[in-house]
Amino acid sequence: MKITVVGAGAVGATCADNIARKELAQELVLLDIKEGFAEGKAIDMMQTAALLGFDTKITGVTNDYSQTAGSAVAVITSGLPRKPGMTREELIGINAGIVKGVAENILKYSPEAIIVVISNPMDTMTYLALRSLNLPKNRIIGMGGILDSARFKYYLSKALDCNSSDLQGFVIGGHGDTTMIPLTRYATYQSLPVSNLLDEATLEKVAADTMVGGATLTGLLGTSAWYAPGAAGAALVESIVRDEKKIFTCCVALEGEYGQADICLGVPVVVGKSGWESIIDFKLTPEEQAKFDRSADAVRSMNNVLTEMKLI
C-alpha cells in the first residue's frame, strides 16, 4: 500500500503524520514544490518512528511525481490561502490551476488512485477535479464535511460536558461559514437524541459556533487550523484503505440526490476501498432542504467562476 500527500504545509504534514502513525501504508510520499521542504518534514517524521513504533516509510520529494507511482490514494492539500485584497475569482483561478495540475500529475503515475481533495475552496476544487479528470465519480472525494462534523461534535461535547467520541453528529452542505448545515435533529449522545438533553437555544448556539469554527481558529491563530483538518484527511484515508465502510459527510458528485445535480456538495456517504460507495438519504425536513438548496446555490456561484475563467 502506497499513499501520497501533496503539499507539505501544516495541513499536509499533519495528515501525513497521522497516516504514518496509524500505519495505513507501507510507503507514504510527501511531495511539495518548495525545494527540500517535504524532504525535511519526512526526515523529521521518520525520526519519530523509533519513539512511536510505526513502520511506515516516509519519503519526501520536491516536485518529482514519478516517486508517487503506484499510489492507491492521493491527498491534495496544495493551494494558497486567500490574501487581503484578493478576490474570490483570483483565489479560485490560482488554486484551480494548482489542483488540476497536481491531480493530472498524480494520475499520470497512479491511474487507479482515489483522489482526496482538501485544498480550498474545497467544494469548488472537488467539482473541478470531477469535471476535468474524467474519473469515476466515486474516486473523487472532498474532505470538508468530516472536519465540520468533528467541530460540531466538539461544541456538542462542551455543551453536554461529555467526551466527543461518545457523540454522533453530521454537518452537511458546503464547507463554508454560511453554507454548512449542522443537523442537530440527528445528533445523538450514546444513542439518545441530544435534543432530549439540550434546549433549543443551546442547540442553536452549538450550530452557530460550528459554522464559524474555522474562522474562530483563524482569528485566534492568525492562520488556518491544521491539526483537525489533517486528522480528518487521515480518517478519510483510513476508511478507504482499510475498507471500513464508515459513514462520513464528504463532498461528492450529486446526480439528483438531495434535490441537486451537477455539483459536489457535502452529504453522508459510505466510504470504503473503492472510494465513496453510496449516499445515505437523511430525509431532510422542508426547512433543512431549503437550507441545503441555499447552500448549493452559494457553492454553484463559486463553481460558475470556473466556467467564466474557462477552467472547465
Side-chain angles (χ1 to χ4, degrees):
M1 176 64 65
K2 186 175 183 179
I3 296 169
T4 289
V5 176
V6 182
V11 173
T14 303
C15 181
D17 188 44
N18 276 272
I19 289 170
R21 292 185 189 217
K22 290 173 177 283
E23 296 184 320
L24 300 182
Q26 292 171 303
E27 183 178 1
L28 172 65
V29 177
L30 183 62
L31 184 148
D32 202 275
I33 62 171
K34 184 178 178 182
E35 187 70 38
F37 193 56
E39 289 88 338
K41 291 282 185 85
I43 291 169
D44 192 14
M45 287 183 219
M46 282 301 296
Q47 289 172 356
T48 72
L51 303 169
L52 300 173
F54 64 80
D55 294 324
T56 298
K57 175 188 174 184
I58 309 170
T59 304
V61 298
T62 301
N63 229 26
D64 181 4
Y65 283 87
S66 68
Q67 298 294 312
T68 71
S71 294
V73 182
V75 182
I76 303 176
T77 72
S78 310
L80 299 179
R82 187 169 176 175
K83 298 177 181 178
M86 181 183 286
T87 66
R88 70 171 186 168
E89 289 81 8
E90 289 171 330
L91 177 66
I92 291 172
I94 293 169
N95 283 354
I98 293 171
V99 170
K100 186 175 181 181
V102 166
E104 288 173 346
N105 278 314
I106 286 291
L107 292 170
K108 179 180 178 181
Y109 294 98
S110 303
E112 300 303 316
I114 294 169
I115 304 296
V116 173
V117 180
I118 297 181
S119 304
N120 280 317
M122 192 273 309
D123 301 292
T124 297
M125 294 301 103
T126 306
Y127 182 71
L128 169 73
L130 176 74
R131 288 289 303 274
S132 61
L133 297 178
N134 196 31
L135 289 179
K137 62 183 180 179
N138 64 292
R139 285 172 52 196
I140 299 172
I141 314 174
M143 179 280 294
I146 301 177
L147 172 61
D148 297 332
S149 298
R151 287 173 172 163
F152 181 36
K153 285 183 272 189
Y154 164 72
Y155 286 110
L156 279 172
S157 72
K158 289 185 67 178
L160 289 165
D161 191 24
C162 72
N163 193 313
S164 58
S165 63
D166 289 332
L167 293 164
Q168 283 292 328
F170 290 88
V171 176
I172 63 171
H175 180 55
D177 295 358
T178 61
T179 56
M180 70 177 75
I181 306 157
L183 291 176
T184 54
R185 181 169 65 92
Y186 276 107
T188 61
Y189 172 48
Q190 298 284 29
S191 300
L192 184 68
V194 297
S195 56
N196 291 7
L197 304 170
L198 299 172
D199 59 37
E200 188 62 31
T202 302
L203 285 173
E204 288 178 1
K205 185 178 186 308
V206 165
D209 288 344
T210 300
M211 293 176 72
V212 296
T216 299
L217 288 169
T218 300
L220 292 169
L221 297 169
T223 185
S224 298
W226 60 92
Y227 291 120
L236 177 53
V237 171
E238 183 174 15
S239 193
I240 295 169
V241 302
R242 291 185 172 160
D243 195 26
E244 291 181 331
K245 312 293 187 187
K246 284 191 174 180
I247 298 176
F248 284 128
T249 299
C250 294
C251 180
V252 301
L254 299 182
E255 297 177 342
E257 301 92 346
Y258 285 85
Q260 295 294 330
D262 190 27
I263 195 170
C264 292
L265 212 56
V267 294
V269 295
V270 177
V271 178
K273 64 182 179 181
S274 60
W276 68 269
E277 300 183 352
S278 61
I279 293 173
I280 305 298
D281 186 357
F282 268 17
K283 308 294 183 185
L284 301 182
T285 66
E287 181 182 1
E288 291 164 345
Q289 184 64 54
K291 289 181 179 179
F292 190 83
D293 292 342
R294 288 195 294 272
S295 177
D297 290 342
V299 170
R300 194 169 278 113
S301 175
M302 297 280 280
N303 293 350
N304 288 341
V305 175
L306 296 173
T307 304
E308 293 164 5
M309 300 183 75
K310 297 185 166 74
L311 295 168
I312 56 173

